[in-house]
Each structure stands twice: as C-alpha cells, then as structure tokens.
Amino acid sequence: MYAKGDYIFHENNGVCRVEDISEIAMAGRGSEKLYYTLLPNLEKKSVVYTLVESPRSKVRDIMTEEQLKELLDTIPDIEIKWEKNDKIRIQYYKDSVTSADPSKLLEVLKTVYYGNQMRIKAGKKILTADDRYYQIAGKKLFDEISFVFHLDMKEAEKMVEDALRDCME
C-alpha cells in the first residue's frame, strides 16, 4: 500500500501524487471502501479516486532512473507490431496504453513511429488513429521520464524520439 505523498503511476493518468487514503462511499451509504485520492502530475486541477485493493485498477511504482535507462536501451530490440488490419492494430494500441506497462507504451511508440515512416515514404498521410495512440502512449511515458529525470515534457519526448529515429536508420 502506498502512503500519502508517494508518487505512483496510474494506468490512465500517468504520474500521480497520493494526496489522501480514505474510506469513501462511492455507491452510497454502507458501501465504504478504501480509496487513494490521486493528483495527476500533468492535470493540475484533476483529482482521481482509485480503489486501494482493486484487481482492475492498475497502479505501480514510478520507475527509477536506472530502470528507465534500461528500458530506453531496449528500444532497438523492441518488436514492431505493425498490423495492416486497422481494427486489429487499434485494439492492440488500446490494450497496450491501458496496461500501465512502460514497455508496452514504448512498443506502441515504436510501432506507430515505424508505421508513420513507412506511410511517409510511400507518399501517404499519417493515420489519425495511430497518431492519437502515439499521443496517449507518449503522454504517459514522457510524463514518467520527465518526472524521473527532472526534464520538461518536450525534452523527454525528444529523448525517446531520438532513440526511435536512431534505431530505424
């Protein structure tokens, strides 16, 4: 269990600070359960409530600098999961961005980056849905990178995109 003041990674909101841990009756009187009150790092005016003990809620520890460096070092080895069938590819993106798994987020980024490069070379436009999932996965991963390395979001994004570009050349 996390404590007040801890920073954690939430599946939908990225880096969050645990503001409070308290019993809340979300479904009415008599349904009190223990919830984390989370303040997202990127959405300063948002508040997120998530059950402390929930098999569906995905929260995890923030990665360390060493863990993030190791993750970024794996970029050349990450499998590109490009699927020509749009529905299958988009479902893969959806599953990956809601997993709270940083390697899955990076996998989405690499796959979309690869797909975009192939489309540009073929003289085609970048697909809106692919770009949307790149933004979702990127926002979460760049948030964690910027938090851990004390960078702004643009610097974190550049760090990842430089690594993606280097491994595609």
Side-chain angles (χ1 to χ4, degrees):
M1 188 163 133
Y2 297 103
K4 285 183 186 181
D6 285 350
Y7 283 89
I8 62 175
F9 187 91
H10 182 268
E11 63 185 326
N12 294 323
N13 298 284
V15 176
C16 295
R17 183 172 52 84
V18 178
E19 178 69 13
D20 195 17
I21 304 166
S22 57
E23 284 191 358
I24 302 173
M26 291 288 191
R29 192 168 188 86
S31 65
E32 293 84 7
K33 292 186 179 172
L34 201 57
Y35 282 84
Y36 291 119
T37 302
L38 304 175
L39 301 179
N41 191 42
L42 293 178
E43 306 294 330
K44 299 295 184 198
K45 296 184 182 193
S46 295
V47 176
V48 177
Y49 299 95
T50 192
L51 281 167
V52 170
E53 299 289 329
S54 172
R56 293 185 329 182
S57 179
K58 297 174 189 125
V59 296
R60 63 170 171 77
D61 293 341
I62 298 291
M63 295 195 318
T64 64
E65 283 188 25
E66 184 176 314
Q67 289 170 322
L68 270 170
K69 285 177 184 175
E70 287 174 10
L71 176 69
L72 295 173
D73 286 345
T74 68
I75 289 175
D77 302 323
I78 292 174
E79 182 181 351
I80 295 169
K81 302 243 177 142
W82 186 258
E83 169 61 52
K84 288 184 181 183
N85 181 310
D86 291 346
K87 288 184 180 184
I88 293 171
R89 190 176 67 255
I90 297 305
Q91 187 59 51
Y92 154 70
Y93 293 157
K94 284 180 185 177
D95 294 343
S96 296
V97 299
T98 59
S99 73
D101 179 345
S103 61
K104 289 287 187 190
L105 297 174
L106 197 51
E107 199 173 80
V108 168
L109 294 176
K110 185 173 180 180
T111 298
V112 173
Y113 185 87
Y114 167 81
N116 287 348
Q117 296 308 307
M118 295 300 103
R119 292 187 63 77
I120 289 168
K121 284 180 184 175
K124 297 179 180 179
K125 292 182 179 181
I126 293 172
L127 299 171
T128 303
D130 289 76
D131 190 51
R132 189 169 123 242
Y133 282 99
Y134 186 92
Q135 297 303 320
I136 293 168
K139 181 179 177 182
K140 292 178 185 182
L141 189 60
F142 305 152
D143 180 25
E144 189 166 14
I145 290 169
S146 68
F147 180 81
V148 171
F149 290 116
H150 309 288
L151 304 170
D152 66 37
M153 286 288 279
K154 289 289 184 196
E155 291 172 313
E157 183 176 358
K158 184 175 179 346
M159 178 189 294
V160 173
E161 287 181 353
D162 286 349
L164 287 170
R165 187 174 29 263
D166 290 347
C167 79
M168 295 292 186
E169 293 176 347

